[in-house]
Amino acid sequence: MPRKFIKRFMPDHEVIKKQKALKVFGNVLYNPNLWCLNRRSAAGAFAVGLFMAFVPLPSQMIMAAGLAILFGVNLPLSVALVWISNPITMPVMFYFAYKVGAFCLNTPPQPFQFELSWQYISEQMSTIGPPFLLGCALCGLIAAVLGYFGIRSLWRYSVVRSWQKRALR
């Protein structure tokens, strides 16, 4: 069941291979292990994608592709999962990450109003930067671990359930 469900939403690997941004990886993209979908590759892809969703950089998809290639997990799934942090969910995720980091560092949360300028960003990184980056790292790590073990458990449960249904016939 998870394989059929996940394959329904995965983009075609030929389309992904033709992306200009992924040309950096060269012929490594032709490794068939990056395109197969099994319990190990899906769980690893969830870990990579969920971790990279919390990285506050604009090149999350390229970094997720690099980690998927490095760890030999499903490339399209790991790149697609980065889009959990889309422009709608990103403020909520990053504010939560900041609160987690402030809690861990035992610093009171700083009030801030957002301005779109480099001067504002450089000034704020000295005050909110450390809790924000620590929170992003912790939330990404926790999301990756939960995603990895959650998918492995769901996959195992689905296989066992299908075996039990088959045994009853």
Side-chain angles (χ1 to χ4, degrees):
M1 186 229 133
R3 176 181 287 169
K4 292 176 187 174
F5 180 76
I6 292 171
K7 276 197 171 198
R8 208 176 339 168
F9 297 105
M10 279 184 28
D12 185 32
H13 67 274
E14 292 300 325
V15 174
I16 293 176
K17 285 179 186 177
K18 293 178 183 175
Q19 293 292 322
K20 290 180 183 178
L22 295 178
K23 295 289 183 192
V24 172
F25 299 114
N27 291 334
V28 176
L29 292 178
Y30 297 109
N31 181 356
N33 291 331
L34 297 176
W35 308 102
C36 72
L37 188 61
N38 54 37
R39 182 172 46 165
R40 182 194 159 280
S41 69
F46 264 78
V48 167
L50 292 175
F51 179 78
M52 292 310 298
F54 279 95
V55 173
L57 293 174
S59 57
Q60 295 170 319
M61 289 174 57
I62 295 171
M63 291 187 289
L67 286 177
I69 290 168
L70 180 70
F71 293 123
V73 298
N74 190 284
L75 180 69
L77 191 56
S78 63
V79 170
L81 281 167
V82 168
W83 279 98
I84 288 175
S85 65
N86 58 55
I88 296 170
T89 61
M90 196 177 290
V92 175
M93 289 173 61
F94 287 162
Y95 183 70
F96 178 74
Y98 169 71
K99 291 289 241 181
V100 167
F103 176 76
C104 289
L105 291 176
N106 201 18
T107 59
Q110 302 291 322
F112 58 93
Q113 285 86 23
F114 182 72
E115 290 178 27
L116 192 56
S117 69
W118 286 111
Q119 179 184 2
Y120 169 79
I121 291 174
S122 64
E123 289 174 1
Q124 291 298 318
M125 283 312 283
S126 64
T127 58
I128 66 169
F132 173 64
L133 295 175
L134 177 65
C136 284
L138 287 175
C139 289
L141 188 63
I142 291 169
V145 169
L146 289 176
Y148 180 81
F149 288 113
I151 290 299
R152 285 190 68 96
S153 300
L154 179 66
W155 200 290
R156 173 99 173 120
Y157 171 76
S158 175
V159 168
V160 168
R161 198 173 93 215
S162 68
W163 285 349
Q164 290 171 345
K165 284 182 181 179
R166 192 177 310 144
L168 291 176
R169 286 190 249 167

